[in-house]
Amino acid sequence: AELTPAMQVLGMEVGDTNALHLRVSADTKCGSPLAIVEKARPYYKDMLEMALLAYATGKDIRVWISSCDLQRRAVIVRMVLGTV
């Protein structure tokens, strides 16, 4: 997995899919500003809450990307808000 630079969450979508969809302020190394967190991923709810908080407050997040899917979306496996 690869850690991204700090970026902002510009938009998000959750619904009848198997993932949280994010649009972020920087390229995710997959050739687009799109990313997903799969609902089956451990800590999915924590990452959803963190993404909502980052979106609502304008705070930056950093994420670990495990791979790129067929739609060039980054597959997120870990998320950081603030400095750890």
Side-chain angles (χ1 to χ4, degrees):
E2 181 179 342
L3 181 63
T4 65
M7 58 187 151
Q8 290 190 319
V9 177
L10 302 179
M12 51 195 313
E13 177 184 357
V14 177
D16 59 350
T17 64
N18 64 349
L20 162 66
H21 297 261
L22 299 174
R23 178 176 294 277
V24 294
S25 63
D27 183 5
T28 61
K29 310 285 191 231
C30 293
S32 81
L34 304 177
I36 61 170
V37 179
E38 297 163 333
K39 288 183 181 174
R41 169 110 2 237
Y43 306 107
Y44 166 80
K45 289 182 181 179
D46 299 303
M47 288 191 273
L48 172 60
E49 290 173 7
M50 193 176 290
L52 282 168
L53 181 62
Y55 178 72
T57 62
K59 300 284 186 186
D60 288 342
I61 59 168
R62 297 177 76 195
V63 299
W64 274 265
I65 298 170
S66 65
S67 62
C68 301
D69 71 5
L70 294 176
Q71 289 81 35
R72 295 182 15 214
R73 298 175 300 198
V75 179
I76 296 173
V77 295
R78 191 170 175 188
M79 190 179 293
V80 176
L81 179 66
T83 304
V84 178

